[in-house]
Amino acid sequence: MGTLRFTKMHGLGNDFVLVNGFRERIERDMAELARRLCDRRFGVGSDGLIFLLPSQVADLKMRMFNPDGSEAEMCGNGIRCLARLAYEEGLVQGRVIRVETLAGIVVPELILEGDKVSQVRVDMGEPRFFRREIPMLGEGDTAIEAPLEVNGEIWEATCLSMGNPHCVIFVPRIEEAPVTELGPKLEYHPLFPQRTNVEFIEVQNPGEIKMRVWERGAGETLACGSGACAAVVASALTGRTKRKVVVHLPAGDLQIEWAANNHVFMSGPAARVFEGLYYLET
Ligand SMILES: N[C@H](CCC[C@H](N)C(=O)O)C(=O)O
């Protein structure tokens, strides 16, 4: 009976199954494994499946798959979990880790309290605004406070890439945000040839926002690290906040800074919950 050892982790309730590809032989199609392992009834259950793999250009490589099997270029909460696990499994020695991703090299730094990882601070790189980089179709080079027509209604959206695509919608009250009604319609909107993540943002003051998120390939999740980065960039770019913002999510906060060097830094926790053995024949 083929088995796969995994570690279950989460970043503010955005949870992941992580597989150490330095130790486990992965002979199955990764997208199919994601669909099965992420299933909350027939599998382990998570918002994503993450592989830690050898890299030719960095300390290690991250591959991240959504529960629907689609592969994402970036995963902010996931890379914090990956960094903690890589350190605790001895795959890396230093606290600053270079991770190869489909979005380029991303650099998490472990913040220790004694010998325990208390937080992870990630240089998430630079935001990209050109439609061709998001990718996004439509008029004009960028989509900043741009009108988006959905079933006859016009929504104002600020769209950008953090390596993965994001569509940010500002709402007056987060509790009333149409996450499950509008989220999937925007995720699959024809203007997004590779679909998109959708962030709903209530700006509380220039230093704090509240966020709910409909994720590409996953649906509504409790948190989205790359989405929080995109939300802060969109908020600052449109004059709603400063560039250093606390993002309030249902299970806690992320500290995001769009720094003067144009890199976006995200700080937050990475919780290690349990280890397990998945039976591949199930
Ligand atoms: N659903 C996302 C990947 C996971 C991103 C999110 N969990 C994060 O923490 O950044 C996408 O398809 O781009």
Side-chain angles (χ1 to χ4, degrees), residues 14 16 64 66 72 74-78 164 197 215-216 224-226:
N14 186 205
F16 304 97
M64 188 271 166
N66 290 308
M74 177 37 56
C75 180
N77 289 321
N164 56 349
N197 300 285
E215 284 200 39
R216 175 178 63 170
C224 178
S226 56

Side-chain angles (χ1 to χ4, degrees), residues 182-223:
L182 186 58
K185 291 179 187 146
L186 286 172
E187 175 190 359
Y188 283 90
H189 196 288
L191 283 178
F192 297 103
Q194 291 175 17
R195 298 185 285 161
T196 187
N197 300 285
V198 187
E199 288 78 23
F200 296 87
I201 303 301
E202 175 188 334
V203 177
Q204 294 179 290
N205 62 59
E208 291 180 274
I209 63 174
K210 288 165 84 171
M211 175 171 123
R212 287 176 67 189
V213 59
W214 178 272
E215 284 200 39
R216 175 178 63 170
E220 183 168 10
T221 62
L222 282 177

Side-chain angles (χ1 to χ4, degrees), residues 134-148:
I134 295 175
M136 184 180 184
L137 307 176
E139 295 295 307
D141 293 340
T142 61
I144 312 299
E145 295 182 310
L148 251 178

Side-chain angles (χ1 to χ4, degrees), residues 22 53-62 98-101 105:
F22 291 77
L53 301 164
S55 167
Q56 303 300 316
V57 298
D59 296 318
L60 73 162
K61 180 194 293 188
M62 173 175 84
R98 290 171 53 78
V99 182
E100 177 190 355
T101 75
I105 305 277

